[in-house]
Amino acid sequence: MLPPRSDFPADFVFGAATSAYQIEGSGAGGAGLSHWDTFAATPGNIADGSDGRVACDHLNRWPEDLDLVRDAGFDAYRFSASWARVMPDGVTLNPQGMDFYDRLVDGMVERGLKPFLTCHHWDLPADLAALGGWQNRDIAARFADLCVALHDRLGDRLASTATLNEPWCIAWLSHFLGHHAPGLRDIRAASRAMHHVLLAHGTAVQALRAEGAANLGIVLNFETAHPADDTPEARHAAEVQDAIYNQWFIRALMGQGYPQAALEGIGPHLPAGWQDDMALIAQPLDWLGVNYYTRRLYTAAPGLWPHVAEAPGPLPKTQMGWEIRPEGLTEFLTRLARDHTGALPLYVTENGMALEAGQDVTADARRVQFIGDHLRAVRAALAQGVDVRGFFYWSLLDNYEWAFGYGPRFGLVHVDYDSQTRTPKQSWHAFRAMLAGGDA
Ligand code: IFM
């Protein structure tokens, strides 16, 4: 059961979220190659050998997809712009690409949906990746140019603009753990990316403000890091993991400096003079986006820093193997307000679960339960006085789950990738009933 809409403030925003590379179809519309196209073209990187060239063909089917957002009764749609579509080489404007987002935003407005833009959700143009991507300090200026170009064309209709989605994934997951494009496992590359991604954010916010842009934020992901047992070693491992994942970005953004437990390993590899960038990184924000999915258990690993290894957890899991722990969402929302963000409005910009393909495609009662439990977790944070302004389900559609390919299905709407038929699942109907004010 989903909690009734009346449990939330009258102006609380309910939405569904997607990202460009995961749904649009990257191989059309004058787009350049992104580093996800090239990463996916390299054998062994993607579980099923797939890529995002067609994905959900949203580039052509977006009116039907926006109808699904509207018909569920959502207030808002969170989407991202593909950098390689807007600027195929990362620099030069592609009018055809920008026209697509112009039509898409018009389509949202026509349907009464608030457009929540994310300027970058991981599909870095391959030409910029070839210049070092997030390792190269110049990325900050290039990214600011992208954000300003998007604002100049779309800003008059946007309800909100986020600079980046999940900088931990852009930097650490992609340059240290090697799981995402560009697939590096290199502490120096990762450390530089950890800093430059924040520098790019700060540079972009400053440039956007100069253009008169309003309602600016950034979307961070948070994962509960618990010790796997009660040993000091496991407790230390969980603290280091928490510092890298849950504190690095928010502390820098709020002018609190990088956490010492992460600086121990990352500090020696940061670009020279990084301290001079910290004021620019800590630009005032209008809101923070919080993505929350799971908690993980950690134990000490021998060998090299960060001495952190993941241990299996006992809780029920999603298809991704992610433990389901809704109270972690309440904990993060209250912890953020208490330790970092104060009165800054928070949005849950992503929360959702994957189920396998092949299960009864639309009878996703487990997902309805998952969403209900997490909405109740948001309600608990509201009851404790945290200023949470909205909740976006990830994702509107089944889509390309990055290195996992098309196996995991997070959607409220099933997508048959052969026919591109969309079929709303039980969870979509549950949202529709709830948002219409009935029982879900
Ligand atoms: O699909 C991703 C999304 O791109 C970013 N946040 C997490 C989702 C599920 O893994």
Side-chain angles (χ1 to χ4, degrees), residues 142-157:
R142 298 288 76 75
F143 179 63
D145 289 348
L146 168 75
C147 294
V148 166
L150 289 167
H151 167 76
D152 286 351
R153 185 70 183 270
L154 311 174
D156 56 335
R157 286 152 290 157

Side-chain angles (χ1 to χ4, degrees), residues 50-384:
S50 63
D51 57 40
R53 265 180 298 181
V54 176
C56 304
D57 191 29
H58 176 75
L59 190 67
N60 297 306
R61 295 168 196 266
W62 63 266
E64 180 185 354
D65 295 339
L66 292 186
D67 286 351
L68 286 162
V69 184
R70 177 201 58 203
D71 293 349
F74 286 117
D75 311 301
Y77 179 56
R78 176 171 175 246
F79 69 109
S80 78
S82 158
W83 193 338
R85 184 177 305 291
V86 171
M87 297 172 168
D89 60 1
V91 180
T92 315
L93 213 58
N94 166 32
Q96 198 186 347
M98 197 57 104
D99 288 350
F100 168 68
Y101 294 109
D102 198 56
R103 287 194 299 276
L104 188 67
V105 171
D106 273 350
M108 292 177 220
V109 173
E110 281 159 17
R111 290 166 178 78
L113 297 168
K114 296 183 169 71
F116 275 57
L117 168 70
T118 301
C119 294
H120 181 65
H121 192 129
W122 307 355
D123 41 4
L124 185 72
D127 284 354
L128 293 183
L131 297 174
W134 297 101
Q135 294 180 66
N136 183 339
R137 187 180 177 85
D138 290 349
I139 197 74
R142 298 288 76 75
F143 179 63
D145 289 348
L146 168 75
C147 294
V148 166
L150 289 167
H151 167 76
D152 286 351
R153 185 70 183 270
L154 311 174
D156 56 335
R157 286 152 290 157
L158 295 176
S160 123
T161 302
T163 52
L164 296 161
N165 183 70
E166 298 184 350
W168 180 85
C169 295
I170 294 173
W172 201 251
L173 186 64
S174 309
H175 296 77
F176 188 75
L177 300 176
H179 187 64
H180 276 188
L184 298 180
R185 292 174 47 74
D186 183 313
I187 183 72
R188 199 167 186 85
S191 303
R192 293 174 68 87
M194 289 287 273
H195 183 69
H196 288 151
V197 73
L198 283 161
L199 181 65
H201 160 84
T203 307
V205 170
Q206 199 177 52
L208 285 166
R209 297 263 186 232
E211 296 285 307
N215 211 18
L216 304 180
I218 182 170
V219 172
L220 305 183
N221 48 336
F222 296 93
E223 270 189 11
T224 306
H226 279 164
D229 55 52
D230 203 22
T231 59
E233 292 78 16
R235 281 203 298 277
H236 181 68
E239 278 164 23
V240 172
Q241 176 66 21
D242 188 72
I244 299 169
Y245 201 121
N246 297 318
Q247 294 182 43
W248 180 269
F249 303 99
I250 191 62
R251 285 186 60 91
L253 291 165
M254 296 296 127
Q256 298 171 319
Y258 290 139
Q260 197 50 42
L263 271 179
E264 275 170 28
I266 295 173
H269 303 289
L270 286 174
W274 63 269
Q275 294 90 342
D276 299 339
D277 296 329
M278 297 309 273
L280 176 57
I281 287 171
Q283 294 296 306
L285 294 177
D286 301 308
W287 57 273
L288 174 74
V290 176
N291 292 358
Y292 174 78
Y293 289 90
T294 190
R295 80 101 189 240
R296 292 179 203 263
L297 300 183
Y298 292 96
T299 186
L304 302 172
W305 190 90
H307 309 294
V308 166
E310 202 183 324
L315 301 178
K317 297 179 183 59
T318 71
Q319 182 272 348
M320 302 292 281
W322 297 350
E323 283 195 316
I324 300 173
R325 189 171 176 275
E327 61 268 39
L329 181 52
T330 314
E331 291 163 5
F332 270 119
L333 293 169
T334 53
R335 171 182 165 184
L336 282 165
R338 183 192 66 220
D339 295 348
H340 304 293
T341 53
L344 188 70
L346 305 179
Y347 287 85
V348 177
T349 31
E350 283 182 31
N351 173 247
M353 77 177 288
L355 292 169
E356 286 89 1
Q359 291 176 327
D360 184 345
V361 292
T362 56
D364 58 346
R366 278 191 73 204
R367 179 175 285 112
V368 177
Q369 181 70 43
F370 180 100
I371 298 167
D373 290 344
H374 285 81
L375 285 174
R376 283 181 278 277
V378 172
R379 201 174 56 183
L382 284 163
Q384 293 178 53

Side-chain angles (χ1 to χ4, degrees), residues 404-428:
F404 297 97
Y406 290 98
R409 290 176 174 267
F410 280 84
L412 298 173
V413 174
H414 177 267
V415 177
D416 177 323
Y417 296 116
D418 294 327
S419 65
Q420 292 294 350
T421 302
R422 274 78 162 138
T423 310
K425 303 179 190 177
Q426 189 179 334
S427 52
W428 182 92

